[in-house]
Amino acid sequence: MTATETTHSTTTHSAPQPMPHADGMPPKLLVDGLSKQYGQVTALEPTQLAVEKGEFLTLLGPSGSGKTTLLQLVCGLVDRSSGRLFIDGVDQSDTPVHQRDIGLVFQHYALFPHLTVAENVAFPLKMRGCAPGELGRRVKDALDMVHLGHLADRFPRALSGGQQQRVALARCFVYQPSIILMDEPLGALDKKLRDHMQIEIKRLHRETGTTIIYVTHDQEEALAMSDRICLMNHARIEQIGAPHDIYMRPRTAFAADFIGISNIFRGEFVHGDGRPRLSTPHGLFVLPEAVTASGKGGALVVRPEHLRVGAGAANSITGTVTEVVYAGSETRVIADLGAGTQAILRLWPGEPVPRLGEPVTAGWDADNAAFVP
Ligand SMILES: Nc1ncnc2c1ncn2[C@@H]1O[C@H](COP(=O)(O)OP(=O)(O)O)[C@@H](O)[C@H]1O
Ligand SMILES: [Mg+2]
């Protein structure tokens, strides 16, 4: 299928026109209404997204939410159904993949099996007509950057998964694209190696200043790595913000549930003296100060670390301890609140551990919760 101008209904641009930004500079990347339809399936709704130069932006969301589709539209691997793409303010919607100054790293490393590590890394430079002397120096620098200089003459089959992925990273960073797209690049690695590679990728990002768009379905990975997280759900952006912002101020129940662990209490507003409250099956709770209680009601989101054992807080719940989970650096307590609801509490080191089967009361400061409609 080819992109047809007739479906670009929302905006019309006479290409190529630099688009000014608030401070006079255009964003590094501007997704302006890009969408993708496969027959009846909407893989991506018309999407608006600006990425700043040097930013590390993560697309996070469940499987099928449109993350890969958005990346493919940005690099031009699939034809768009609508919208435009601007890089440095220049319309590149119709620029072929290899002319977009964009590097790609996928979960499957796709190294050339018959080429050595050094030859694999040299490949994109050869394609771009790099002179032999400079080529050797840049391959060496790129391999040193991923700590693989000593394996330059090996073939991919003689490398571990983590080493192969580092070759793939070197092969991408070596030609210095100003934007790199990574689609679940650590998905095939075990947890320990993944943690290590997260730090490596962050270091490469810091050292090169490359703009990176990174895809993962792992919320911990997204929180750990990103300048901003773009949370996706059902082919659209659900919320976008800094990790702390999204964690502390989820705007929807989906965002609260997908990122981190949440206790979610639904109810209806009760107005009276002082702050409005939420009447729920588990108690009457004071809302955070910033909330304007318009409409019928909504839900309070309370993170386990804000739910403290003991009475005395403005808002409290009571339940029966059903699980105590020791996880090394923390202990989690699961309490049954009745009516089919569980609460998850996080104990701090040194706090007394409640016993299985016993009642427990826990509370939170009203402002330590988020409200979602
Ligand atoms: N080539 C295709 N043909 C038909 N449907 C597709 C194709 N690629 C993706 N989709 C559909 O588009 C939706 C989004 O897919 P994708 O972007 O791959 O999600 P994610 O990367 O978040 O898992 C899914 O429902 C998927 O089945
Ligand atoms: Mg995907």
Side-chain angles (χ1 to χ4, degrees):
M1 197 172 97
T2 54
T4 48
E5 287 297 327
T6 50
T7 57
H8 303 159
S9 52
T10 45
T11 40
T12 48
H13 295 282
S14 46
Q17 280 281 325
M19 299 246 308
H21 195 46
D23 60 2
M25 289 286 288
K28 182 71 204 172
L29 193 102
L30 178 67
V31 171
D32 185 13
L34 282 181
S35 76
K36 182 66 187 177
Q37 199 73 31
Y38 288 103
Q40 295 299 306
V41 178
T42 302
L44 190 72
E45 304 264 8
T47 293
Q48 214 59 35
L49 174 68
V51 185
E52 295 307 320
K53 184 168 186 294
E55 188 173 11
F56 195 114
L57 180 98
T58 298
L59 307 180
L60 172 69
S63 179
S65 57
K67 307 181 297 294
T68 294
T69 302
L70 179 50
L71 274 201
Q72 288 172 329
L73 289 168
V74 167
C75 66
L77 277 174
V78 300
D79 291 324
R80 66 200 189 278
S81 300
S82 73
R84 317 287 308 172
L85 176 81
F86 296 85
I87 297 176
D88 294 320
V90 177
D91 190 336
Q92 304 241 334
S93 312
D94 299 311
T95 308
V97 184
H98 59 278
Q99 287 171 15
R100 285 192 187 189
D101 186 28
I102 291 178
L104 302 169
V105 181
F106 297 111
Q107 177 171 346
H108 299 289
Y109 332 116
L111 301 178
F112 301 111
H114 58 286
L115 299 182
T116 65
V117 165
E119 287 164 350
N120 263 284
V121 175
F123 186 82
L125 294 176
K126 282 191 177 147
M127 292 282 290
R128 287 167 176 77
C130 184
E134 180 176 351
L135 183 138
R137 184 182 54 74
R138 283 172 68 172
V139 168
K140 183 180 180 308
D141 286 350
L143 285 176
D144 285 345
M145 198 162 73
V146 297
H147 307 303
L148 281 181
H150 60 298
L151 298 181
D153 298 325
R154 287 245 186 120
F155 286 91
R157 63 176 175 275
L159 300 177
S160 70
Q163 288 168 335
Q164 289 186 43
Q165 191 55 293
R166 273 148 66 194
V167 178
L169 287 172
R171 190 177 60 178
C172 184
F173 277 97
V174 74
Y175 64 94
Q176 300 170 343
S178 66
I179 301 170
I180 295 183
L181 311 180
M182 303 193 187
D183 196 350
E184 313 226 13
L186 308 183
L189 307 179
D190 63 49
K191 166 110 179 85
K192 220 177 166 88
L193 194 52
R194 218 163 56 218
D195 290 350
H196 177 72
M197 290 296 294
Q198 285 172 9
I199 295 169
E200 291 291 293
I201 290 174
K202 282 298 287 176
R203 181 178 60 80
L204 292 174
H205 172 244
R206 214 172 35 245
E207 287 174 1
T208 59
T210 313
T211 306
I212 295 183
I213 306 182
Y214 188 94
V215 167
T216 183
H217 61 265
D218 179 339
Q219 47 103 9
E220 281 180 32
E221 188 162 289
L223 289 171
M225 298 186 75
S226 320
D227 293 322
R228 280 192 306 161
I229 295 173
C230 175
L231 180 63
M232 300 192 63
N233 187 26
H234 294 312
R236 44 180 287 281
I237 296 177
E238 181 95 9
Q239 184 170 354
I240 184 160
H244 179 264
D245 192 46
I246 284 206
Y247 183 79
M248 292 306 292
R249 281 180 290 279
R251 281 207 294 266
T252 61
F254 172 82
D257 206 34
F258 197 81
I259 300 185
I261 299 173
S262 305
N263 296 290
I264 300 182
F265 304 113
R266 290 204 162 274
E268 297 192 349
F269 294 131
V270 176
H271 298 274
D273 294 342
R275 285 198 209 174
R277 297 190 218 198
L278 198 69
S279 170
T280 80
H282 309 288
L284 187 62
F285 303 137
V286 180
L287 291 166
E289 186 165 20
V291 175
T292 43
S294 58
K296 257 177 78 94
L300 277 171
V301 178
V302 186
R303 299 295 187 184
E305 62 271 29
H306 290 136
L307 206 44
R308 310 300 305 277
V309 177
N315 296 323
S316 71
I317 50 171
T318 299
T320 306
V321 177
T322 55
E323 293 286 351
V324 175
V325 183
Y326 176 70
S329 60
E330 65 176 63
T331 301
R332 287 191 193 141
V333 175
I334 301 175
D336 181 9
L337 304 183
T341 308
Q342 289 188 328
I344 303 181
L345 292 61
R346 178 177 152 177
L347 299 182
W348 295 88
E351 264 190 309
V353 180
R355 288 194 212 210
L356 277 182
E358 294 203 341
V360 62
T361 296
W364 69 92
D365 290 342
D367 289 332
N368 273 342
F371 177 80
V372 298

